[in-house]
């Protein structure tokens, strides 16, 4: 079996286990992740705006 597949399946099982055993903490982590992505996107948007001006 390919090593990438084994790592991917292991990661998937871990994520599902985490969601099932602690859904509140998982939701909190997802929210934090989306806040980080949103902040990064805003930063890129601000950079591009300043670059154009």
């Amino acid at each position: 079996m390919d090593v990438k597949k084994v790592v991917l399946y292991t990661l998937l099982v871990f994520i599902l286990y985490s969601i099932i055993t602690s859904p509140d903490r998982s939701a909190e982590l997802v929210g934090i992740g989306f806040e980080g992505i949103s902040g990064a996107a805003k930063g890129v948007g601000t950079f591009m705006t300043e670059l154009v001006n």
Side-chain angles (χ1 to χ4, degrees):
M1 191 169 207
D2 191 18
V3 175
K4 285 183 179 180
K5 286 183 181 180
V6 171
V7 171
L8 182 63
Y9 289 139
T10 304
L11 184 62
L12 182 63
V13 168
F14 174 73
I15 290 171
L16 289 175
Y17 173 77
S18 298
I19 291 171
I20 291 169
T21 59
S22 181
D24 292 336
R25 179 72 176 142
S26 298
E28 182 181 328
L29 291 174
V30 169
I32 291 170
F34 279 128
E35 286 177 14
I37 292 170
S38 175
K42 286 179 185 176
V44 169
T46 302
F47 173 74
M48 290 297 184
T49 301
E50 293 300 321
L51 191 64
V52 170
N53 291 334

